[in-house]
Coordinates of all heavy atoms in Angstrom, one line a residue:
M1 N 128.2 -12.7 92.4 CA 128.5 -14.0 91.7 C 129.9 -14.1 91.4 O 130.7 -13.1 91.2 CB 127.6 -14.1 90.4 CG 128.1 -13.1 89.3 SD 127.0 -13.3 87.9 CE 127.5 -11.9 87.0
K2 N 130.4 -15.3 91.3 CA 131.8 -15.6 90.9 C 132.0 -15.9 89.5 O 131.2 -16.7 88.9 CB 132.4 -16.7 91.8 CG 132.5 -16.3 93.3 CD 133.0 -17.5 94.1 CE 133.0 -17.0 95.6 NZ 133.7 -17.9 96.4
V3 N 133.0 -15.3 88.8 CA 133.3 -15.5 87.5 C 134.8 -15.6 87.3 O 135.6 -15.0 88.0 CB 132.8 -14.3 86.6 CG1 133.2 -14.4 85.1 CG2 131.3 -14.2 86.7
E4 N 135.2 -16.5 86.4 CA 136.7 -16.6 86.0 C 136.9 -16.1 84.6 O 136.1 -16.4 83.7 CB 137.1 -18.1 86.0 CG 138.5 -18.4 85.8 CD 138.9 -19.8 85.8 OE1 138.0 -20.7 85.6 OE2 140.0 -20.1 86.1
V5 N 137.9 -15.3 84.5 CA 138.3 -14.7 83.2 C 139.6 -15.4 82.9 O 140.5 -15.3 83.7 CB 138.5 -13.1 83.3 CG1 138.9 -12.6 82.0 CG2 137.1 -12.5 83.8
V6 N 139.7 -15.9 81.6 CA 140.9 -16.6 81.2 C 141.3 -16.1 79.9 O 140.6 -15.9 78.9 CB 140.5 -18.1 81.1 CG1 141.7 -18.9 80.6 CG2 140.0 -18.8 82.3
R7 N 142.6 -16.0 79.7 CA 143.2 -15.8 78.5 C 144.5 -16.6 78.4 O 145.2 -16.9 79.4 CB 143.5 -14.3 78.1 CG 144.6 -13.6 79.0 CD 144.7 -12.2 78.6 NE 145.6 -11.5 79.6 CZ 146.0 -10.2 79.5 NH1 145.7 -9.6 78.5 NH2 146.8 -9.8 80.4
A8 N 144.7 -17.1 77.2 CA 145.8 -18.1 77.0 C 146.7 -17.7 75.8 O 146.3 -17.2 74.9 CB 145.2 -19.5 76.9
W9 N 147.9 -18.3 76.0 CA 149.0 -18.1 74.9 C 149.6 -19.5 74.8 O 149.3 -20.4 75.6 CB 150.0 -17.1 75.2 CG 149.5 -15.8 75.6 CD1 149.5 -14.7 74.6 CD2 149.1 -15.2 76.8 NE1 149.0 -13.6 75.3 CE2 148.8 -13.9 76.6 CE3 149.0 -15.7 78.1 CZ2 148.4 -13.1 77.7 CZ3 148.5 -15.0 79.1 CH2 148.2 -13.6 78.9
P10 N 150.3 -19.8 73.8 CA 151.0 -21.1 73.7 C 151.9 -21.3 74.9 O 152.6 -20.4 75.3 CB 151.8 -21.0 72.4 CG 151.2 -20.0 71.6 CD 150.6 -18.9 72.6
H11 N 151.6 -22.4 75.6 CA 152.4 -22.8 76.8 C 152.2 -22.0 78.1 O 152.9 -22.2 79.0 CB 153.9 -22.8 76.4 CG 154.2 -23.6 75.2 ND1 154.1 -24.9 74.9 CD2 154.7 -23.1 74.0 CE1 154.4 -25.2 73.8 NE2 154.7 -24.1 73.1
R12 N 151.2 -21.2 78.1 CA 150.9 -20.4 79.4 C 149.5 -19.9 79.3 O 149.0 -19.7 78.3 CB 151.9 -19.4 79.7 CG 151.9 -18.2 78.8 CD 153.0 -17.2 79.2 NE 153.0 -16.1 78.2 CZ 152.5 -14.9 78.5 NH1 151.9 -14.7 79.7 NH2 152.5 -13.9 77.7
F13 N 148.9 -19.6 80.5 CA 147.6 -19.0 80.6 C 147.6 -18.1 81.8 O 148.4 -18.2 82.7 CB 146.5 -20.0 80.6 CG 146.4 -20.8 81.8 CD1 145.5 -20.3 82.8 CD2 147.1 -21.8 82.1 CE1 145.3 -21.1 84.0 CE2 147.1 -22.5 83.3 CZ 146.1 -22.1 84.2
E14 N 146.6 -17.2 81.9 CA 146.3 -16.4 83.0 C 144.9 -16.5 83.3 O 144.0 -16.5 82.4 CB 146.7 -14.9 82.5 CG 146.4 -13.9 83.7 CD 146.6 -12.4 83.2 OE1 146.7 -12.3 82.0 OE2 146.8 -11.6 84.1
A15 N 144.6 -16.7 84.6 CA 143.2 -16.8 85.0 C 143.0 -15.9 86.2 O 143.8 -15.8 87.1 CB 142.9 -18.2 85.6
I16 N 141.9 -15.1 86.1 CA 141.6 -14.1 87.2 C 140.2 -14.5 87.7 O 139.2 -14.5 87.0 CB 141.6 -12.7 86.6 CG1 143.0 -12.4 86.0 CG2 141.2 -11.7 87.7 CD1 143.0 -11.1 85.2
D17 N 140.1 -14.7 89.0 CA 138.8 -14.9 89.6 C 138.2 -13.6 90.1 O 138.9 -12.9 90.7 CB 138.9 -15.9 90.9 CG 139.3 -17.3 90.4 OD1 138.8 -17.7 89.4 OD2 140.2 -17.9 91.1
L18 N 136.9 -13.4 89.8 CA 136.2 -12.1 90.1 C 135.0 -12.4 90.9 O 134.3 -13.4 90.7 CB 135.9 -11.4 88.9 CG 137.0 -11.0 87.9 CD1 136.4 -10.4 86.6 CD2 137.9 -10.0 88.6
E19 N 134.7 -11.5 91.7 CA 133.4 -11.4 92.4 C 132.6 -10.2 91.8 O 133.1 -9.0 92.0 CB 133.6 -11.2 93.9 CG 132.3 -11.3 94.7 CD 131.7 -12.8 94.9 OE1 132.6 -13.7 95.0 OE2 130.5 -12.9 94.9
L20 N 131.5 -10.5 91.1 CA 130.7 -9.4 90.4 C 129.4 -9.4 90.9 O 128.8 -10.4 91.4 CB 130.8 -9.7 88.9 CG 132.1 -9.7 88.2 CD1 132.0 -10.2 86.7 CD2 132.8 -8.3 88.3
P21 N 128.7 -8.3 90.8 CA 127.3 -8.1 91.1 C 126.4 -9.0 90.1 O 126.8 -9.1 88.9 CB 126.9 -6.7 91.1 CG 128.0 -6.1 90.2 CD 129.2 -6.9 90.3
E22 N 125.2 -9.4 90.5 CA 124.3 -10.2 89.6 C 124.0 -9.3 88.5 O 123.9 -8.0 88.6 CB 123.0 -10.5 90.4 CG 123.2 -11.6 91.4 CD 123.6 -12.9 90.8 OE1 123.1 -13.3 89.8 OE2 124.3 -13.7 91.5
G23 N 123.9 -9.9 87.3 CA 123.6 -9.2 86.0 C 124.7 -8.5 85.4 O 124.6 -7.8 84.4
A24 N 126.0 -8.8 85.8 CA 127.2 -8.2 85.2 C 127.4 -8.8 83.8 O 126.9 -9.9 83.5 CB 128.4 -8.5 86.1
S25 N 127.9 -8.0 83.0 CA 128.1 -8.4 81.6 C 129.6 -8.7 81.3 O 130.4 -8.5 82.2 CB 127.7 -7.2 80.6 OG 128.6 -6.1 80.8
V26 N 129.9 -9.2 80.1 CA 131.3 -9.5 79.7 C 132.1 -8.2 79.9 O 133.2 -8.2 80.4 CB 131.3 -10.0 78.3 CG1 132.7 -10.0 77.7 CG2 130.8 -11.4 78.2
A27 N 131.5 -7.0 79.4 CA 132.3 -5.8 79.5 C 132.6 -5.4 81.0 O 133.7 -5.0 81.3 CB 131.5 -4.7 78.8
D28 N 131.6 -5.7 81.9 CA 131.8 -5.4 83.3 C 133.0 -6.3 83.9 O 133.9 -5.8 84.6 CB 130.6 -5.7 84.1 CG 129.4 -4.8 83.8 OD1 129.7 -3.6 83.3 OD2 128.3 -5.2 83.9
A29 N 133.0 -7.5 83.4 CA 134.1 -8.5 83.9 C 135.4 -8.0 83.4 O 136.4 -8.1 84.1 CB 133.7 -9.9 83.4
L30 N 135.5 -7.6 82.1 CA 136.7 -7.2 81.5 C 137.3 -5.9 82.3 O 138.5 -5.8 82.5 CB 136.6 -6.9 80.1 CG 136.3 -8.1 79.2 CD1 135.9 -7.7 77.7 CD2 137.5 -9.1 79.2
K31 N 136.4 -5.0 82.5 CA 136.8 -3.8 83.3 C 137.2 -4.1 84.7 O 138.4 -3.6 85.1 CB 135.6 -2.9 83.4 CG 136.0 -1.5 83.9 CD 134.9 -0.5 83.8 CE 135.3 0.8 84.2 NZ 134.2 1.8 84.1
A32 N 136.6 -5.0 85.4 CA 136.9 -5.4 86.7 C 138.3 -6.1 86.7 O 139.1 -6.0 87.7 CB 135.9 -6.3 87.4
A33 N 138.6 -6.9 85.7 CA 139.8 -7.6 85.6 C 141.0 -6.8 85.1 O 142.1 -7.2 85.1 CB 139.7 -8.8 84.7
G34 N 140.6 -5.6 84.6 CA 141.8 -4.7 84.0 C 142.1 -5.1 82.8 O 143.3 -4.9 82.4
L35 N 141.3 -5.8 82.0 CA 141.7 -6.5 80.7 C 140.9 -5.8 79.6 O 140.2 -6.5 78.7 CB 141.4 -7.9 80.7 CG 142.2 -8.7 81.7 CD1 141.9 -10.2 81.7 CD2 143.7 -8.6 81.4
D36 N 140.7 -4.5 79.6 CA 139.9 -3.9 78.4 C 140.6 -4.2 77.2 O 141.7 -4.7 77.1 CB 140.0 -2.3 78.7 CG 139.3 -1.9 79.9 OD1 138.2 -2.6 80.3 OD2 139.6 -0.9 80.6
A37 N 139.8 -4.0 76.1 CA 140.3 -4.5 74.8 C 141.7 -4.2 74.5 O 142.3 -3.2 74.7 CB 139.4 -3.8 73.7
D38 N 142.4 -5.3 74.0 CA 143.8 -5.2 73.6 C 143.9 -5.8 72.1 O 143.0 -6.3 71.6 CB 144.8 -5.9 74.5 CG 144.5 -7.4 74.7 OD1 143.7 -8.0 73.8 OD2 145.2 -8.0 75.5
A39 N 145.1 -5.6 71.6 CA 145.3 -6.0 70.2 C 145.2 -7.4 70.0 O 144.9 -8.0 68.9 CB 146.7 -5.4 69.7
E40 N 145.5 -8.3 71.0 CA 145.6 -9.7 70.8 C 144.1 -10.3 70.9 O 144.0 -11.5 70.4 CB 146.4 -10.3 71.9 CG 147.9 -10.2 71.7 CD 148.7 -10.9 72.8 OE1 148.2 -11.3 73.8 OE2 149.8 -11.1 72.5
T41 N 143.2 -9.6 71.5 CA 141.9 -10.2 71.7 C 141.0 -10.0 70.5 O 140.8 -8.8 70.1 CB 141.2 -9.6 73.0 OG1 142.1 -9.9 74.1 CG2 139.8 -10.2 73.2
T42 N 140.5 -11.1 69.9 CA 139.6 -11.0 68.8 C 138.2 -11.2 69.0 O 137.3 -11.0 68.2 CB 140.1 -11.9 67.6 OG1 140.0 -13.3 68.0 CG2 141.5 -11.6 67.2
G43 N 137.9 -11.7 70.3 CA 136.5 -12.0 70.7 C 136.4 -12.6 72.0 O 137.5 -12.7 72.7
Y44 N 135.2 -13.0 72.4 CA 135.1 -13.5 73.8 C 134.1 -14.7 73.7 O 133.4 -14.9 72.7 CB 134.3 -12.4 74.6 CG 135.0 -11.2 74.6 CD1 134.4 -10.1 73.8 CD2 136.2 -10.9 75.2 CE1 135.1 -8.8 73.8 CE2 136.8 -9.7 75.1 CZ 136.3 -8.6 74.4 OH 136.9 -7.4 74.3
A45 N 134.3 -15.6 74.7 CA 133.4 -16.8 74.7 C 133.1 -17.1 76.2 O 133.9 -16.8 77.0 CB 134.1 -18.0 74.0
V46 N 132.0 -17.7 76.5 CA 131.6 -18.2 77.8 C 131.5 -19.7 77.6 O 130.6 -20.2 76.9 CB 130.4 -17.6 78.3 CG1 130.0 -18.2 79.6 CG2 130.5 -16.0 78.4
Y47 N 132.5 -20.5 78.2 CA 132.6 -21.9 78.1 C 132.5 -22.3 76.6 O 131.9 -23.2 76.2 CB 131.5 -22.6 78.8 CG 131.6 -22.6 80.3 CD1 130.8 -21.9 81.1 CD2 132.7 -23.3 80.9 CE1 131.0 -21.9 82.5 CE2 132.9 -23.3 82.3 CZ 132.1 -22.6 83.1 OH 132.4 -22.6 84.4
G48 N 133.2 -21.5 75.8 CA 133.4 -21.9 74.4 C 132.3 -21.4 73.5 O 132.3 -21.6 72.3
V49 N 131.3 -20.8 74.0 CA 130.2 -20.2 73.2 C 130.4 -18.8 73.0 O 130.5 -18.0 73.9 CB 128.8 -20.5 73.9 CG1 127.7 -19.9 73.1 CG2 128.6 -21.9 74.1
R50 N 130.4 -18.4 71.8 CA 130.7 -17.0 71.4 C 129.9 -16.0 72.2 O 128.7 -16.2 72.4 CB 130.5 -16.8 69.9 CG 131.0 -15.5 69.4 CD 132.3 -15.8 68.7 NE 132.8 -14.6 68.0 CZ 134.0 -14.2 68.0 NH1 134.9 -15.0 68.5 NH2 134.4 -13.1 67.4
A51 N 130.5 -14.9 72.7 CA 129.8 -13.9 73.4 C 130.2 -12.5 72.9 O 131.3 -12.3 72.3 CB 130.1 -14.0 74.9
D52 N 129.4 -11.5 73.3 CA 129.9 -10.1 73.0 C 129.9 -9.4 74.3 O 129.5 -9.8 75.3 CB 128.9 -9.5 71.9 CG 127.5 -9.4 72.4 OD1 127.2 -8.9 73.6 OD2 126.6 -9.8 71.6
P53 N 130.4 -8.1 74.2 CA 130.6 -7.4 75.5 C 129.3 -7.2 76.3 O 129.3 -7.0 77.5 CB 131.1 -6.0 75.0 CG 131.8 -6.3 73.8 CD 131.0 -7.4 73.1
G54 N 128.1 -7.2 75.6 CA 126.9 -7.0 76.3 C 126.2 -8.3 76.9 O 125.3 -8.2 77.6
T55 N 126.9 -9.4 76.7 CA 126.4 -10.8 77.1 C 126.4 -10.8 78.7 O 127.4 -10.4 79.3 CB 127.3 -11.9 76.6 OG1 127.2 -11.9 75.2 CG2 126.8 -13.2 77.1
R56 N 125.2 -11.1 79.2 CA 125.2 -11.2 80.7 C 125.8 -12.5 81.2 O 125.6 -13.6 80.6 CB 123.7 -11.2 81.2 CG 123.0 -9.9 80.8 CD 123.5 -8.8 81.7 NE 122.9 -7.5 81.4 CZ 123.5 -6.4 81.6 NH1 124.6 -6.3 82.1 NH2 122.9 -5.2 81.2
L57 N 126.5 -12.4 82.3 CA 127.2 -13.6 82.9 C 126.3 -14.1 84.0 O 125.6 -13.4 84.6 CB 128.6 -13.2 83.4 CG 129.5 -12.7 82.3 CD1 130.8 -12.1 82.9 CD2 129.9 -13.7 81.3
R58 N 126.6 -15.4 84.3 CA 125.9 -16.1 85.5 C 127.0 -16.6 86.4 O 128.1 -16.7 86.1 CB 125.1 -17.2 85.0 CG 123.9 -16.7 84.0 CD 123.1 -17.9 83.6 NE 123.9 -18.8 82.7 CZ 123.3 -19.6 81.9 NH1 122.1 -19.9 82.0 NH2 124.1 -20.4 81.1
D59 N 126.6 -16.9 87.6 CA 127.4 -17.3 88.6 C 128.2 -18.6 88.2 O 127.5 -19.6 87.6 CB 126.7 -17.7 89.9 CG 127.6 -18.1 91.0 OD1 128.7 -17.3 91.2 OD2 127.3 -18.9 91.8
G60 N 129.5 -18.6 88.3 CA 130.3 -19.7 87.8 C 130.7 -19.8 86.5 O 131.4 -20.8 86.0
D61 N 130.4 -18.8 85.6 CA 130.8 -18.7 84.2 C 132.4 -18.6 84.1 O 133.0 -18.0 85.0 CB 130.2 -17.6 83.5 CG 128.7 -17.9 83.0 OD1 128.3 -19.1 83.1 OD2 128.1 -17.0 82.6
R62 N 132.9 -19.1 83.0 CA 134.2 -18.8 82.7 C 134.3 -18.1 81.4 O 133.8 -18.6 80.3 CB 135.1 -20.2 82.4 CG 136.5 -20.0 82.1 CD 137.2 -21.2 81.8 NE 136.7 -21.8 80.5 CZ 136.4 -23.1 80.3 NH1 136.6 -24.0 81.2 NH2 136.0 -23.5 79.2
L63 N 134.8 -16.9 81.5 CA 134.9 -16.0 80.3 C 136.2 -16.2 79.7 O 137.3 -16.1 80.4 CB 134.7 -14.5 80.7 CG 135.0 -13.4 79.7 CD1 134.0 -13.6 78.5 CD2 134.8 -12.1 80.3
E64 N 136.2 -16.4 78.4 CA 137.5 -16.7 77.7 C 137.8 -15.6 76.7 O 136.9 -15.3 75.9 CB 137.4 -18.1 76.9 CG 137.1 -19.2 77.9 CD 136.3 -20.3 77.3 OE1 136.0 -20.2 76.0 OE2 136.1 -21.4 77.9
L65 N 138.9 -15.1 76.7 CA 139.5 -14.1 75.8 C 140.0 -14.8 74.5 O 141.0 -15.6 74.8 CB 140.4 -13.1 76.4 CG 139.8 -12.0 77.2 CD1 139.1 -12.5 78.5 CD2 140.9 -11.0 77.5
L66 N 139.5 -14.6 73.4 CA 139.9 -15.3 72.2 C 140.9 -14.6 71.4 O 140.9 -13.3 71.4 CB 138.7 -15.6 71.3 CG 137.6 -16.3 72.0 CD1 136.4 -16.4 71.0 CD2 137.9 -17.6 72.5
R67 N 141.9 -15.3 70.9 CA 143.0 -14.8 70.1 C 142.8 -15.2 68.6 O 142.2 -16.2 68.4 CB 144.4 -15.3 70.7 CG 144.7 -14.8 72.0 CD 146.0 -15.2 72.6 NE 146.4 -16.6 72.3 CZ 147.3 -17.0 71.4 NH1 148.1 -16.1 70.8 NH2 147.6 -18.2 71.1
P68 N 143.5 -14.6 67.7 CA 143.4 -15.0 66.3 C 144.1 -16.4 66.2 O 145.0 -16.8 66.9 CB 144.2 -14.0 65.5 CG 144.9 -13.2 66.5 CD 144.4 -13.4 67.9
L69 N 143.6 -17.2 65.2 CA 144.1 -18.6 65.0 C 145.5 -18.3 64.4 O 145.8 -17.5 63.6 CB 143.3 -19.3 64.0 CG 141.9 -19.7 64.4 CD1 141.1 -20.3 63.3 CD2 142.0 -20.7 65.6
Q70 N 146.4 -19.2 64.7 CA 147.8 -19.1 64.2 C 147.9 -19.8 62.9 O 148.8 -19.6 62.1 CB 148.8 -19.8 65.2 CG 148.9 -19.0 66.5 CD 149.9 -19.6 67.5 OE1 150.2 -20.8 67.4 NE2 150.4 -18.8 68.3
A71 N 147.0 -20.7 62.5 CA 147.0 -21.3 61.3 C 145.5 -21.7 60.9 O 144.7 -21.9 61.7 CB 147.7 -22.7 61.4
D72 N 145.3 -21.7 59.6 CA 144.0 -22.1 59.1 C 143.8 -23.6 59.4 O 144.6 -24.4 58.8 CB 143.9 -21.7 57.6 CG 142.6 -22.2 57.0 OD1 141.6 -22.5 57.8 OD2 142.5 -22.2 55.7
P73 N 142.7 -24.0 60.1 CA 142.6 -25.4 60.3 C 142.4 -26.3 59.2 O 143.0 -27.4 59.1 CB 141.3 -25.4 61.2 CG 141.1 -24.1 61.7 CD 141.8 -23.2 60.8
K74 N 141.8 -25.8 58.1 CA 141.7 -26.6 56.8 C 143.0 -26.8 56.2 O 143.3 -27.9 55.8 CB 140.7 -25.9 55.9 CG 139.3 -26.0 56.4 CD 138.3 -25.3 55.3 CE 137.0 -25.3 55.8 NZ 136.1 -24.7 54.8
E75 N 143.8 -25.8 56.2 CA 145.1 -25.9 55.5 C 146.1 -26.8 56.3 O 146.8 -27.6 55.8 CB 145.7 -24.5 55.4 CG 147.1 -24.5 54.6 CD 147.0 -25.1 53.2 OE1 146.0 -24.9 52.6 OE2 148.0 -25.7 52.8
S76 N 146.0 -26.8 57.7 CA 146.8 -27.6 58.5 C 146.4 -29.1 58.2 O 147.3 -30.0 58.2 CB 146.6 -27.3 59.9 OG 147.1 -26.0 60.2
R77 N 145.1 -29.3 58.2 CA 144.7 -30.8 57.9 C 145.1 -31.2 56.5 O 145.5 -32.3 56.3 CB 143.2 -30.8 58.0 CG 142.6 -32.3 57.9 CD 141.2 -32.3 58.2 NE 140.7 -33.7 58.3 CZ 140.5 -34.5 57.2 NH1 140.8 -34.1 56.0 NH2 140.1 -35.7 57.4
R78 N 145.1 -30.3 55.6 CA 145.5 -30.7 54.2 C 147.0 -31.1 54.2 O 147.4 -32.1 53.6 CB 145.2 -29.5 53.3 CG 145.2 -29.8 51.8 CD 144.8 -28.6 50.9 NE 143.3 -28.4 51.2 CZ 142.8 -27.3 51.6 NH1 143.6 -26.2 52.0 NH2 141.5 -27.1 51.7
R79 N 147.7 -30.2 54.9 CA 149.2 -30.6 55.0 C 149.5 -31.9 55.7 O 150.3 -32.7 55.1 CB 150.0 -29.5 55.6 CG 150.4 -28.3 54.7 CD 151.2 -27.3 55.4 NE 150.3 -26.3 55.9 CZ 150.3 -25.7 57.1 NH1 151.4 -25.9 57.8 NH2 149.4 -24.9 57.5
R80 N 148.8 -32.1 56.7 CA 149.0 -33.5 57.4 C 148.6 -34.6 56.5 O 149.2 -35.6 56.5 CB 148.2 -33.5 58.7 CG 148.8 -32.7 59.9 CD 148.3 -33.0 61.3 NE 146.7 -32.9 61.2 CZ 145.9 -31.9 61.4 NH1 146.5 -30.6 61.6 NH2 144.6 -31.9 61.4
A81 N 147.5 -34.5 55.8 CA 147.1 -35.5 54.9 C 148.0 -35.8 53.8 O 148.3 -36.9 53.4 CB 145.7 -35.2 54.3
Q82 N 148.7 -34.8 53.3 CA 149.7 -34.9 52.3 C 150.9 -35.7 52.8 O 151.6 -36.3 52.0 CB 150.1 -33.5 51.7 CG 148.9 -33.0 50.8 CD 149.3 -31.6 50.4 OE1 150.2 -31.0 50.8 NE2 148.4 -31.1 49.4
Q83 N 151.3 -35.5 54.0 CA 152.5 -36.0 54.7 C 152.3 -37.4 55.2 O 153.2 -38.1 55.3 CB 153.0 -35.1 55.8 CG 153.4 -33.7 55.3 CD 153.8 -32.8 56.5 OE1 153.6 -33.2 57.6 NE2 154.3 -31.6 56.1
A84 N 151.1 -37.8 55.3 CA 150.7 -39.1 55.9 C 151.1 -40.2 54.8 O 151.0 -40.0 53.6 CB 149.3 -39.2 56.3
P85 N 151.7 -41.3 55.4 CA 152.1 -42.4 54.4 C 150.8 -43.0 53.7 O 149.7 -43.1 54.3 CB 152.7 -43.5 55.3 CG 152.3 -43.1 56.7 CD 151.9 -41.6 56.7
R86 N 150.9 -43.2 52.5 CA 149.8 -43.8 51.7 C 149.7 -45.3 51.9 O 150.6 -46.0 52.0 CB 150.0 -43.6 50.2 CG 150.2 -42.1 49.9 CD 149.1 -41.6 49.2 NE 149.2 -40.2 48.8 CZ 148.3 -39.3 48.8 NH1 147.1 -39.8 48.9 NH2 148.5 -38.1 48.4
K87 N 148.5 -45.9 52.0 CA 148.3 -47.3 52.2 C 147.9 -48.0 50.9 O 147.3 -47.5 50.1 CB 147.2 -47.5 53.3 CG 147.7 -47.1 54.6 CD 146.6 -47.4 55.7 CE 147.2 -46.9 57.0 NZ 146.2 -47.3 58.0

């Protein structure tokens, strides 16, 4: 089965296409891609849905390596709302 492993940073990304045996897991894909756990990765997702290392992959899946948020979304929205002109 074919799987794509993606990790992204601001303004760039890396995508690795893999051919894995049926029933392969997230951990198998990471090992095959040479992307074992690193300090930047805080979790995994398959098409945006949270996954763990034991999650089984299917043909055509995109495995995403997640990084920590750079800003709290609630706090960012609060700051934008304060800066917006009042009507």
Side-chain angles (χ1 to χ4, degrees):
M1 71 178 171
K2 292 183 181 187
V3 175
E4 181 181 30
V5 179
V6 178
R7 65 180 171 175
W9 302 267
H11 311 293
R12 70 183 177 100
F13 73 95
E14 176 182 21
I16 302 168
D17 292 321
L18 300 173
E19 186 73 37
L20 299 172
E22 289 296 324
S25 66
V26 167
D28 297 330
L30 295 172
K31 188 173 182 178
L35 298 174
D36 293 328
D38 63 6
E40 287 187 341
T41 302
T42 59
Y44 312 103
V46 176
Y47 286 114
V49 177
R50 193 96 172 145
D52 60 49
T55 300
R56 297 286 174 209
L57 299 170
R58 294 183 293 197
D59 188 42
D61 277 351
R62 182 184 68 223
L63 172 61
E64 303 150 356
L65 279 65
L66 306 176
R67 298 179 319 110
L69 294 175
Q70 292 181 336
D72 176 14
K74 289 182 182 179
E75 184 59 33
S76 296
R77 185 174 188 283
R78 194 172 293 120
R79 274 185 272 146
R80 284 193 311 273
Q82 289 172 348
Q83 293 173 355
R86 304 247 180 212
K87 293 184 179 182

